[in-house]
Amino acid sequence: MAPRPSIVSWNLTRLCNERCQHCYLSAAPDADRSDELSTGECLAVLDQLQALAPGALIIFTGGEPLLREDITELVRAARERDLTVVVGTNGLRLTTERLAALRAAGLQGVGLSLDSLQSEVHDAFRGRRGAWHATVSTIERLREFGLPFVLQTTVSRANLGEIPDLLAFAAAHGAQAHNLYFLVPTGRGQTFSSDISPHEYEVLLDALRDWYGRLAAARTGETGTGPGGRLILGVKCAPHYQRVLWQHDRHSPHLRHFDDGAGGCPAGVHYLGIRPNGDVTPCPYLPIYGGNVRRQPLAAIWHESRPFQRLRQRDLLDGRCKGCEFRLLCGGCRARAYAVTGDALGEDPWCAYEPGAYGGTLVTIDGADVYAAQPDGALAWAADAQRLLDVIPAFVRGLVRRRVERYASERGCTVVTSEVMRQARRDRVPRA
C-alpha cells in the first residue's frame, strides 16, 4: 500500500493579478476560469482528503487563491476536517479585513512570494508595478496579526547575488521559514531566460549548506553566526541538496527521509497536486496526470494510477539517476527531468554529480530525521501539550514528538506538558 500524501498543493484558480515570468500554471489576469471546480466540488474533495490524508498540510494556491470568493469558506471547511491549512499568495489582496476573516476561519499560515529586495527586480519578475511594496506591507500585517508566514523565492540569475540578504531579511522580519525554489521549466518557465546554470546551481547548494550550518549553530548556541532567529531554510525542487549535505557530513542533522526509507523528490510519494479543473498530479510542477477528481475517487488516483505507482519505484529511474548511489537520498527532481527530457523517470539534467565516486554503493540514511512518520512516542502527553502537538502538520508531527520527548527524557520528565514544550522551544530544540 502506498504511503498517504503528507502535503497537497491545490491550485484553486488560474486567475492571477500578476503575470510572473516563471509561472508553471501560466496564470494571468485574463485566465479562463470556465472549468474551475465549484465550491461544492471542492468541499467534496476535502471530504476525500480527510479520509485519504488525515492531518495533511493543504496549500491553497493559484494563480492567486484570494481571487476566489469562496476562499474563506474553503479554509474553514478544511480546518473542520482537521487538515492543516495555509494559503500561498502574492499578498496583494491580503488586506487587514481579509486577513482577519481568514484567521477566524482557521487559517494557520501564509506563504508569501518575495523574489528580490530591489523593488524594480521583484516587480519585473512578477509583471506588476508596485508588487514589491504591497508584499512588504503584507509582511508587516502578518507580523501584527501574529500569523505564521514563510517567504518564498524563486532563484534566478537576477537575484542570485541577493540570496544571503534575502535570507537575512526573512530572519529579521520574523518569517518561520524561507523557501528557495529552483526553477522547473514548465508553463511560462519554459521561456524564462534568467535560469541559473547547473554549475551555479551546485555552487549555491554548497553555499546554502554552509550558511544553514552556521544558522543552526547560532540557534543552538554553538560557535558560529548567522542571521539568527528560528528561521528554517527550505530548499525546494532541489533534492540534490541532500546529497550535498551527505558529502560534507554523513551524519548531518539536516538529512531527512520519509517513513518508507526514501528521501529526495516527494512527487507522487508524499506529495500531490490538484489543478483548478480537478486534474491530479504528483507535483504542481509535473504535468502528468493520474486522473481527475470529477471522474475518479482521489484515493483510487493516489493508490492505483500508473504515473503515481511508477514514481514510487526508484529502481525505474533512468540515465545517471539509475545507478546513482544517491537515488534514495536524492533521486533527482522528477519534474525537471520530465520538463527537459520528456521522461519523468529520466535523469535530472541540473545535477552535476557523476555516479560512482562513492563506489556505487547505495547511500542509506538510517538514523536521519524521518518525516511523515506516525507520532507514536514513548512518553505520556498531557492534554494541553497534545493540543499543541495536534496543530503541527502531520508530516512533521512524529518528528517533533520524538524531539520533544528526547528533550523531556534528558531532563527526567515522564509526562510532556505544554510547559515542557515551551522550555524545549526556548532552549531551541532544532525544528523541522
Side-chain angles (χ1 to χ4, degrees), residues 198-430:
H199 174 71
E200 291 170 317
Y201 176 91
E202 185 79 6
V203 170
L204 179 57
L205 290 180
D206 191 60
L208 290 172
R209 174 201 60 79
D210 178 67
W211 182 88
Y212 195 41
R214 290 185 284 117
L215 175 63
R219 285 209 310 263
T220 56
E222 299 167 3
T223 302
T225 59
R230 299 178 181 275
L231 185 73
I232 301 164
L233 174 62
V235 182
K236 306 298 184 179
C237 305
H240 323 76
Y241 184 58
Q242 292 291 293
R243 185 253 305 162
V244 169
L245 289 172
W246 187 92
Q247 285 177 300
H248 287 270
D249 179 4
R250 299 184 185 191
H251 304 288
S252 169
H254 309 302
L255 289 169
R256 61 185 63 174
H257 65 96
F258 290 92
D259 57 354
D260 59 359
C265 182
V269 183
H270 295 278
Y271 195 13
L272 69 80
I274 303 175
R275 294 290 175 100
N277 68 346
D279 284 338
V280 179
T281 68
C283 159
Y285 307 99
L286 181 52
I288 59 176
Y289 305 101
N292 186 288
V293 296
R294 283 180 165 140
R295 297 185 291 274
Q296 299 140 288
L298 187 59
I301 297 172
W302 176 259
H303 290 298
E304 301 169 14
S305 68
R306 180 172 170 79
F308 281 77
Q309 289 182 340
R310 286 174 60 81
L311 285 169
R312 295 167 190 151
Q313 301 176 61
R314 293 287 173 87
D315 57 336
L316 296 181
L317 296 179
D318 205 355
R320 283 179 298 142
C321 293
K322 182 178 182 64
C324 182
E325 298 98 319
F326 296 98
R327 65 181 178 273
L328 285 182
L329 184 62
C330 166
C333 174
R334 297 299 96 220
R336 191 177 296 109
Y338 180 80
V340 176
T341 72
D343 181 4
L345 296 173
E347 70 175 49
D348 184 336
W350 249 233
C351 178
Y353 177 73
E354 289 295 335
Y358 294 92
T361 302
L362 188 64
V363 172
T364 58
I365 45 179
D366 294 339
D369 285 335
V370 179
Y371 285 65
Q374 294 302 303
D376 48 353
L379 296 184
W381 282 63
D384 57 348
Q386 187 65 51
R387 284 192 293 271
L388 294 174
L389 184 68
D390 287 344
V391 301
I392 295 172
F395 75 103
V396 293
R397 193 176 300 149
L399 172 60
V400 171
R401 179 163 191 157
R402 280 191 297 276
R403 287 180 169 180
V404 172
E405 288 189 353
R406 183 167 60 241
Y407 175 89
S409 296
E410 290 171 352
R411 287 154 181 79
C413 301
T414 57
V415 176
V416 176
T417 64
S418 59
E419 179 58 29
V420 169
M421 294 185 75
R422 283 190 287 271
Q423 289 173 358
R425 181 176 175 84
R426 283 198 300 267
D427 290 348
R428 301 186 176 187
V429 172

Side-chain angles (χ1 to χ4, degrees), residues 110-154:
V110 172
L112 200 60
S113 300
L114 183 68
D115 293 299
S116 176
L117 296 180
Q118 304 175 64
S119 60
E120 64 276 13
V121 173
H122 177 87
D123 289 0
F125 196 68
R126 295 280 156 181
R128 177 170 177 145
R129 182 176 297 176
W132 186 88
H133 288 285
T135 297
V136 173
S137 296
T138 300
I139 291 172
E140 294 307 314
R141 280 195 293 277
L142 288 166
R143 295 182 70 183
E144 290 171 6
F145 268 79
L147 189 65
F149 68 96
V150 303
L151 293 185
Q152 307 188 132
T153 299
T154 297

Side-chain angles (χ1 to χ4, degrees), residues 21 30 42 50 59 94-95 97 107 150 163 174 189 227 230 292 299 328 339 341 347 355 393 399 414 431:
Q21 296 180 32
D30 55 354
C42 289
Q50 181 183 24
I59 306 168
L94 201 55
T95 62
E97 293 75 19
L107 185 68
V150 303
I163 300 302
R230 299 178 181 275
N292 186 288
L328 285 182
T341 72
E347 70 175 49
L399 172 60
T414 57
R431 296 178 58 191

